[in-house]
Amino acid sequence: MGTARRPGAYVCGVDAAMDVIGGKWKVLILWALGEGPLRFGALRRELPGVTEKVLAAHLRELEADGIVHREEYGEVPPRVEYSLTARGVSLNEALAPLGAWGRANVLNPSPGAGEVREDDHVPLVAGPA
C-alpha cells in the first residue's frame, strides 16, 4: 500500500495534495479525527468497511506526511491514540469547501434546468401508450 511521493513531479498543488489524501479512506480518516483524538478501534468503528490492514497502512502514511500524530501511552495494556497535527487541521480546513460542495451537489442536489424531482408538484403529461 505504501505510496512513494513524487517531489518535483507534481503538475500543480492539487496534484500534490491528492498524492497525500488519495485513496478511499484517507479523507474519511481526516474527517473522523477532526472530531478529536481516537484510538485505533474507535477509528475503525467510525469507518465501517475499512480493514485493519488498510487503516493501519493509511495511518502510517498520514503520520509520515505529518498529517496525523500517533501518541503511545506507557500503559498496560498498551494504549495508542491518533490525532490531527496542525498540518492535518489545516488540510481538513482546506477540504471543508469540498465537503460543502458534495453536500450541495451530490447529497442534496438541486434540480438542474429541466429536471423534475419526485416532490415537485408538476402536472403529469400523458405520453404515448
Side-chain angles (χ1 to χ4, degrees), residues 5-6 8-9 11-12 20 32 42 46 53 57-59 77 81 92 104:
R5 299 288 172 241
R6 304 175 290 145
V11 175
C12 64
V20 173
E46 288 288 322
K53 180 180 176 180
H58 282 328
L59 285 168
E81 283 186 348
N92 252 1

Side-chain angles (χ1 to χ4, degrees), residues 6-75:
R6 304 175 290 145
Y10 297 116
V11 175
C12 64
V14 173
D15 186 22
M18 291 305 295
D19 196 27
V20 173
I21 62 170
K24 178 178 179 179
W25 299 105
K26 286 185 180 178
V27 174
L28 296 175
I29 292 168
L30 291 171
W31 168 78
L33 291 177
E35 299 296 316
L38 291 171
R39 294 176 71 173
F40 185 87
L43 187 53
R44 185 158 184 237
R45 285 188 295 277
E46 288 288 322
L47 307 172
V50 70
T51 65
E52 286 185 22
K53 180 180 176 180
V54 168
L55 179 57
H58 282 328
L59 285 168
R60 279 193 300 274
E61 290 171 12
L62 289 167
E63 184 180 9
D65 289 332
I67 305 298
V68 168
H69 173 71
R70 183 179 189 266
E71 182 74 32
E72 291 185 50
Y73 296 90
E75 301 174 355

